[in-house]
Amino acid sequence: MKRVKVKELSAFIDQQVKVCGWVRTKRKSKKVVFVHLNDGSCLANLQIVIGFNMVTEETFQAITTGACIAVTGQVVVSQGKGQQFELLAKEIDIIGLADPEEYPLQPKKHSYEFLREIGHLRIRTNTFGAVFRVRHAMSYAIHHYFNKKGFFHIHSPIITGSDAEGAGEMFRVTTLDPKSPPLIEGEVDYKKDFFGKETNLTVSGQLEAELAAMGLAQVYTFGPTFRAENSNTTRHLAEFWMMEPEVAFYDLNDNMDLAEDLLKYLVGYGLEHCQEDIAFLSERDLAHQQTLPADKRNELSLIERLEFVIDNTFERITYTQAFEILRNSKPNKKKKFEYQISEWGADLQSEHERFLVEKHFNKPVIVYNYPKDIKAFYMRANDDGKTVAAMDILFPGIGEIVGGSQREERFDNLLQRMEELNIPQEEMSWYLDTRKFGTAPHSGFGLGFERWVQFVTGMANIRDVIPFPRTPGNAMF
Ligand code: 4AD
Ligand code: MG
C-alpha cells in the first residue's frame, strides 16, 4: 500500500490507508494506546488508536518518542477532542527504533540553544517543522511572484573573482596547500592556484545580475552568499541566502515600488498558504514576548505584525531626514542611543533603524539617498555630490531587511568612483563593458532571505530559520 500524507487524510475518511512517520508521544488509557505521529507534511499530529490486543508487547515497547513507524488502518471521525479524525490501527511496522535512553528530543520544552546543538534532529519538532515549511513557502512564492511578472531567474556563480560589495569580507577559495603554497617574491603565487587567480565565495550575485539585466531586462538571482564578517548577532550569518532582482529602465522609485509590492505579496502568500504554521508560530511568539522585559515586548502578535505590513504604506524618508529625526531623539525617556548620531554621514546602526521603525513611524520604513561614503561603489551618484541613490528597507524587530540602489550607469562617473576607491579596472573590465556598450539606467535590491523568514515566522534568532547555520566558530553538519 502507498503511503498517504497526514495532511491529505481528511479525504480518506472511512477508508484503509497506510501512514508513515515519527512518534511524538504514546499514552495508555484503559482500553487502548494513543500514539501521536508526525510525518512532516503538516503541523498536526495524527492520533493513532491501538487496541491492546492488536500489537505484541515487543512492538508496543518499540513505539517510543522518535521511533519511525508505518501504520495501516482505517481513518475515522474522532470522538475525542483535539482532532477531527484519527486512525484505527490494524497493522504496525516498526521502521526505525529510537532508544528512549538516548534520544535527546523528549516530549517536553527544549531551549533553542539546546536544539541548535542537535540541529540534525531539531527539524522533528513542531517549531522547526513549521519554520521550514514557511521557509519553503516563501522561497516558492518568490519564484512565483517573479515568474508572474515576467522576470527571468539567473543562476549567478558561487565562486567569483570579484568583491561585489567592496567590503572585503570574503572566504577564499583555493586548492593551494596552506602548508607550502607556491611563492613568488615572498608572496603566494595565485597564478598557480586552481583558477589561475585569487577567487572567493560570492558575497552577492548583483554584479552578474546587472550583466544579465542588460540583455534580459528583468532578472533575479536567488542563491547562497557568504560573508566572513565576525558578527555574532541574531541577524548575521556567514552563509545566507539572498534574492536579488535587477531591472533595466528602473529608477530608485520604481525599485522601491517593486520591493514594497514583493514584500506585501510574500506576506499575503504566507498568511494564505501557511495558516496553520503561522498561527502556531504566533502563539509561540506570544509566549516568547511574555518572557521579555516590558519595554522590549512587541505589542502586536505575529499575525498582527504581518497584517500590519500589508495594511501600511511603507514610510519613505531620505537619509538626511532620518539623521535629523535620530539626532533629536532618545530611544526612551532616560536612555540615549548606544551610538549617538551626531554627524551627518555616519552609518545607521541597528538600534537607529529599529527606533525609526518601531518607535517613530511604527511601520516599515524605506531610507533612501544615503551618503556616498558609506555605500558601495556601484551606486548612482545624486546631483548633490554627497549622496547616492541607495535605499534600505527597515522592518520591525529586524532592522535592515533589504538593501538596494539605482546603479551608476554613466561610464565616466563609474570609472571615477572606482578610481577613488582603488578598485582595479582591469579586473572589472567586464562590468565596465556594460556601461560602454548600450548602457541603460537600471536598479535592483537584495532581500536577505533569512531575515525575511525571521520576520514571517517571528523567530528571534537567525540561526533558527536556516536548517544548518554557519556562524563564526560554527560549521557543524
Ligand atoms: O545590503 P547588502 O549588503 O546588499 C547587497 O549585497 C547588494 N548587492 C544587494 C543588491 O542591491 N542587489 O545585503 C542585502 C541584504 C541585507 O539587507 C540583509 O537583509 C541581508 O542581505 N544580509 C544578511 N543576512 C544575513 N546575514 C548577513 N551577514 C547579511 N548581510 C546582509
Ligand atoms: Mg546593506
Side-chain angles (χ1 to χ4, degrees):
M1 214 190 246
K2 253 203 191 152
R3 138 172 130 99
V4 174
K5 284 181 227 138
V6 171
K7 190 182 178 183
E8 290 157 4
L9 274 186
S10 59
F12 290 83
I13 303 276
D14 294 333
Q15 295 179 40
Q16 294 285 324
V17 299
K18 175 175 157 184
V19 293
C20 301
W22 293 268
V23 174
R24 286 290 175 79
T25 57
K26 178 173 78 174
R27 181 170 59 87
K28 239 178 173 167
S29 81
K30 280 193 201 120
K31 289 187 212 131
V32 291
V33 176
F34 293 107
V35 170
H36 282 177
L37 191 79
N38 191 282
D39 74 349
S41 62
C42 58
L43 181 76
N45 294 327
L46 171 65
Q47 173 155 287
I48 296 167
V49 187
I50 309 171
F52 272 168
N53 49 7
M54 225 223 63
V55 284
T56 62
E57 181 60 20
E58 195 190 351
T59 305
F60 177 74
Q61 292 303 335
I63 303 174
T64 58
T65 299
C68 182
I69 63 174
V71 186
T72 314
Q74 189 173 6
V75 186
V76 296
V77 174
S78 179
Q79 286 155 17
K81 276 192 221 143
Q83 64 279 320
Q84 286 173 313
F85 51 82
E86 59 197 16
L87 189 71
L88 300 182
K90 291 233 161 67
E91 205 184 308
I92 299 182
D93 285 324
I94 308 294
I95 299 177
L97 296 170
D99 183 347
E101 297 290 309
E102 282 186 64
Y103 186 61
L105 273 179
Q106 291 305 320
K108 62 166 196 170
K109 228 173 160 7
H110 295 291
S111 73
Y112 288 133
E113 288 78 13
F114 171 73
L115 291 172
R116 257 170 244 145
E117 285 167 24
I118 51 160
H120 52 303
L121 298 170
R122 69 176 180 171
I123 213 145
R124 297 189 194 180
T125 63
N126 282 339
T127 301
F128 287 93
V131 166
F132 294 126
R133 278 187 297 271
V134 173
R135 183 180 166 111
H136 160 79
M138 287 298 109
S139 163
Y140 177 78
I142 284 172
H143 290 298
H144 184 77
Y145 177 86
F146 283 111
N147 184 59
K148 203 174 57 168
K149 289 198 135 220
F151 280 63
F152 302 107
H153 182 199
I154 291 290
H155 294 105
S156 48
I158 288 172
I159 301 173
T160 70
S162 73
D163 174 5
E165 291 305 296
E169 294 158 328
M170 294 176 299
F171 290 100
R172 183 182 295 287
V173 174
T174 178
T175 53
L176 295 179
D177 179 358
K179 287 193 209 92
S180 60
L183 299 176
I184 184 164
E185 291 168 13
E187 305 261 318
V188 176
D189 183 5
Y190 286 105
K191 285 216 170 63
K192 299 228 169 71
D193 204 348
F194 188 90
F195 295 105
K197 60 185 280 196
E198 289 185 63
T199 51
N200 47 267
L201 294 177
T202 187
V203 296
S204 157
Q206 177 198 322
L207 301 191
E208 291 85 359
E210 281 188 63
L211 310 181
M214 291 297 106
L216 292 167
Q218 315 188 92
V219 300
Y220 68 104
T221 70
F222 189 3
T225 48
F226 306 85
R227 300 205 181 167
E229 52 189 340
N230 198 5
S231 305
N232 257 308
T233 78
T234 54
R235 312 177 314 132
H236 286 89
L237 290 166
E239 175 178 314
F240 64 99
W241 285 64
M242 187 159 38
M243 191 286 304
E244 298 177 276
E246 195 66 38
V247 196
F249 318 116
Y250 260 29
D251 65 13
L252 190 65
N253 273 320
D254 300 322
N255 204 25
M256 293 194 265
D257 291 345
L258 177 69
E260 184 167 345
D261 188 58
L262 167 71
L263 300 188
K264 287 181 165 163
Y265 171 82
L266 293 180
V267 168
Y269 187 95
L271 286 171
E272 186 181 340
H273 295 272
C274 307
Q275 267 174 30
E276 189 188 35
D277 286 324
I278 289 180
F280 170 80
L281 291 165
S282 195
E283 270 173 42
R284 215 352 79 96
D285 175 68
L286 210 62
H288 171 70
Q289 297 294 336
Q290 242 96 71
T291 68
L292 299 177
D295 64 320
K296 293 240 163 76
R297 233 172 264 162
N298 211 310
E299 281 149 32
L300 302 179
S301 74
L302 173 63
I303 292 181
E304 284 166 338
R305 298 204 293 276
L306 295 175
E307 283 166 349
F308 182 77
V309 167
I310 299 185
D311 296 341
N312 279 289
T313 304
F314 297 5
E315 187 73 32
R316 298 183 188 190
I317 56 164
T318 63
Y319 167 90
T320 305
Q321 288 168 315
F323 168 73
E324 288 302 336
I325 293 168
L326 291 167
R327 194 164 60 153
N328 298 313
S329 305
K330 284 183 181 166
N332 58 47
K333 276 182 206 105
K334 282 181 229 129
K335 238 175 69 192
K336 278 186 168 185
F337 289 116
E338 212 169 301
Y339 303 91
Q340 190 63 40
I341 287 227
S342 52
E343 296 228 5
W344 188 95
D347 207 353
L348 305 186
Q349 305 294 324
S350 102
E351 57 175 337
H352 306 129
E353 297 173 340
R354 293 189 55 176
F355 174 82
L356 290 171
V357 174
E358 291 162 26
K359 299 260 157 70
H360 192 84
F361 290 109
N362 201 22
K363 55 168 137 156
V365 175
I366 311 184
V367 180
Y368 64 97
N369 288 351
Y370 276 83
K372 70 172 187 200
D373 290 335
I374 55 170
K375 290 291 180 186
F377 75 95
Y378 51 70
M379 298 187 180
R380 193 177 198 280
N382 287 325
D383 292 341
D384 62 11
K386 296 193 310 193
T387 63
V388 287
M391 63 109 172
D392 279 1
I393 303 188
L394 315 179
F395 257 53
I398 310 262
E400 178 193 340
I401 204 158
V402 161
S405 62
Q406 182 168 347
R407 319 306 187 187
E408 183 55 85
E409 86 283 14
R410 297 162 296 188
F411 184 88
D412 293 341
N413 292 38
L414 182 61
L415 194 64
Q416 192 196 330
R417 191 68 188 135
M418 284 169 65
E419 274 165 9
E420 280 167 18
L421 295 170
N422 291 322
I423 298 172
Q425 261 184 67
E426 322 77 66
E427 280 172 31
M428 298 289 281
S429 61
W430 46 273
Y431 188 67
L432 282 160
D433 267 2
T434 54
R435 278 54 172 181
K436 202 148 95 189
F437 308 122
T439 192
H442 60 288
S443 302
F445 62 85
L447 170 67
F449 188 58
E450 283 73 23
R451 290 194 190 168
W452 179 252
V453 178
Q454 265 190 288
F455 179 72
V456 180
T457 59
M459 296 299 282
N461 195 315
I462 198 164
R463 292 167 181 80
D464 297 330
V465 296
I466 185 163
F468 306 105
R470 271 82 182 90
T471 49
N474 188 358
M476 229 209 298
F477 317 110

